[in-house]
Amino acid sequence: MAVLKVKFTKTKRDKLAQILWILNWVSVVSGIILFSLGLFLKIEIKKRNEVMAKGDINSVPNMLISVGVIACIINFLGGKICYDCSDANKFSRWKLVMLPYIVCTFCFTFCILVGALMCYTMRNELEESLYLGLRDAIKFYKDTDIPGRCFLKKTVDLLQIRFRCCGNNGFRDWFEIQWVSPRYLNMASKEVLDRLNSNVDGKFLVDGVPFSCCNPSSPRPCIQYQLTNNSAHYNYDFLTEELNIWMKGCRQALLDYYTGIMRSIGIAALLIWLFELSVLIGVRYLQTAMKNVLLLGDLEGESDGWLLENSFVETAKYNISIIKNLGKANQISTVSGMNDPNINVQNTDCDKTNITTKSIPAAR
């Protein structure tokens, strides 16, 4: 029994073909939108490439870009097919192409769904990439004289100002590294030497942060150094007073930023997937209705259209049996090839002269 069978008159078939022709062109626009969203995400990731570790974070934008290009090609072809389906004579040349086209379009719409879901499952990979990238960027913050690292100070400072953040996980990350270049340390100062000697690794560690961590909205002048020393500042209590620096870590700030972008892109991709799926269902109805009208031979009469010719269970069993038969046929051909006595058998009579055989006299 056919699934969701609908009866179509010639007028309904023509209207369906015209509507699908318009919807396919709308789908071309949706493909351009997917391509643009993927390109936008790729550019945004590339902007912060210096504070991200290498990984598979570009898989989502690459997926969206690829799907967008394929959407434009498939829907452009679909528009041409639907336009010709309004004429039964023109449909005959697309008759053999329609079913493979529908199968390919179904796989393509599935890829859109995968791309949309990837926007929501990328958070863990992105968080790990940001953690490792920011850790290394902060570690090399002081290396302003080393080629390949001299840009990191500017990158980190602009990042902290732009996203109102400080450090990787928080401002205390700056306490654990030497972020002041030795070039700007006065080695004749007793205070500097004491700090260097007090550290096992010989690093100049201070309870301070770079200027880019300061919150300009704070009414108090920015306190960058000796953040944990109450006696170093007037009317200051480290434990109770809200610091005038950014409290959020840059990893969380960037993660929230990219998560918001990918969430919006994921919603857009899901809506496009639903739209493409509805167009695919309409094309399937048009294909079966036009196929049946050709079988009936009455181009002006009514015809049935459906999603599946048989029930879901019967269709699944039929497809599984086809797959099993293909596997058995491949197995039989392999086994028969191995047991074929005519394979790899040497001809031992190649060098022998022909011997005339004696004929047996016939009985009289």
Side-chain angles (χ1 to χ4, degrees):
M1 182 179 177
V3 177
L4 299 177
K5 185 168 66 174
V6 178
K7 190 173 291 292
F8 290 91
T9 61
K10 185 180 186 305
T11 304
K12 289 183 178 180
R13 289 195 300 268
D14 293 342
K15 287 184 178 179
L16 180 60
Q18 293 172 0
I19 292 173
L20 289 174
W21 175 72
I22 296 173
L23 292 180
N24 271 281
W25 281 107
V26 176
S27 297
V28 172
V29 177
S30 67
I32 296 174
I33 293 174
L34 277 177
F35 176 84
S36 302
L37 291 175
L39 188 62
F40 169 74
L41 182 58
K42 192 176 184 68
I43 293 173
E44 286 297 311
I45 291 176
K46 192 172 182 62
K47 286 180 181 178
R48 324 282 178 227
N49 195 36
E50 294 87 357
V51 293
M52 291 184 182
K54 294 182 179 179
D56 296 333
I57 55 176
N58 284 313
S59 58
V60 174
N62 291 337
M63 180 75 170
L64 294 173
I65 290 172
S66 302
V67 169
V69 173
I70 296 173
C72 295
I73 297 173
I74 286 183
N75 290 306
F76 178 81
L77 178 61
K80 174 62 177 173
I81 293 175
C82 293
Y83 181 80
D84 289 344
C85 284
S86 58
D87 186 353
N89 295 322
K90 291 183 179 180
F91 171 77
S92 59
R93 64 185 179 186
W94 295 106
K95 183 172 64 174
L96 298 177
V97 181
M98 284 289 284
L99 188 58
Y101 168 79
I102 290 174
V103 174
C104 293
T105 307
F106 177 78
C107 297
F108 154 71
T109 53
F110 180 75
C111 291
I112 297 178
L113 178 62
V114 172
L117 295 178
M118 286 175 66
C119 292
Y120 295 95
T121 59
M122 185 186 168
R123 182 182 174 90
N124 292 333
E125 290 81 0
L126 181 61
E127 184 174 8
E128 182 179 1
S129 177
L130 287 171
Y131 173 77
L132 297 176
L134 285 168
R135 182 194 64 183
D136 294 338
I138 293 174
K139 178 181 178 182
F140 301 130
Y141 178 87
K142 69 180 186 302
D143 298 337
T144 55
D145 299 328
I146 299 177
R149 299 178 184 173
C150 56
F151 62 90
L152 285 175
K153 179 183 181 302
K154 179 181 178 181
T155 300
V156 173
D157 284 335
L158 291 176
L159 178 71
Q160 294 187 143
I161 294 172
R162 163 70 176 81
F163 289 93
R164 301 183 176 184
C165 58
C166 186
N168 191 347
N169 298 312
F171 68 93
R172 289 181 178 274
D173 292 336
W174 292 106
F175 298 177
E176 302 172 0
I177 63 167
Q178 178 181 335
W179 53 272
V180 180
S181 174
R183 180 181 178 183
Y184 304 106
L185 294 178
N186 183 10
M187 294 302 176
S189 173
K190 183 178 182 302
E191 181 183 355
V192 173
L193 293 177
D194 289 343
R195 282 191 177 274
L196 292 174
N197 294 329
S198 64
N199 185 264
V200 177
D201 298 326
K203 296 181 179 180
F204 184 77
L205 303 182
V206 294
D207 55 343
V209 295
F211 77 97
S212 54
C213 286
C214 293
N215 182 359
S217 300
S218 174
R220 181 170 187 159
C222 184
I223 298 177
Q224 295 177 239
Y225 297 97
Q226 296 182 332
L227 291 173
T228 58
N229 187 359
N230 293 333
S231 61
H233 310 284
Y234 175 74
N235 193 20
Y236 177 77
D237 188 356
F238 169 71
L239 297 177
T240 59
E241 184 173 348
E242 184 178 354
L243 300 180
N244 56 357
I245 59 175
W246 304 119
M247 304 299 292
K248 181 184 288 188
C250 290
R251 177 176 57 87
Q252 187 62 44
L254 285 173
L255 189 62
D256 293 341
Y257 174 73
Y258 284 111
T259 300
I261 292 177
M262 289 188 294
R263 186 181 294 115
S264 301
I265 293 176
I267 293 173
L270 283 174
L271 293 176
I272 292 174
W273 171 71
L274 291 173
F275 178 76
E276 293 284 350
L277 188 63
S278 63
V279 174
L280 177 61
I281 292 173
V283 173
R284 174 59 175 169
Y285 272 115
L286 181 62
Q287 181 255 336
T288 52
M290 294 301 296
K291 176 183 174 182
N292 290 329
V293 81
L294 291 178
L295 292 175
L296 295 173
D298 185 8
L299 302 181
E300 303 294 328
E302 294 183 346
S303 61
D304 292 332
W306 51 69
L307 287 181
L308 296 175
E309 189 172 359
N310 300 310
S311 64
F312 289 104
V313 177
E314 292 175 352
T315 303
K317 289 181 179 179
Y318 176 74
N319 292 328
I320 292 173
S321 65
I322 290 177
I323 296 173
K324 287 183 177 180
N325 290 333
L326 289 175
K328 289 180 180 179
N330 185 31
Q331 184 179 3
I332 291 172
S333 62
T334 305
V335 174
S336 62
M338 294 173 58
N339 298 330
D340 192 350
N342 294 322
I343 297 178
N344 297 330
V345 176
Q346 297 180 353
N347 187 0
T348 57
D349 296 334
C350 292
D351 298 331
K352 293 183 179 180
T353 58
N354 293 330
I355 301 175
T356 305
T357 57
K358 294 182 180 180
S359 60
I360 301 174
R364 295 180 179 178

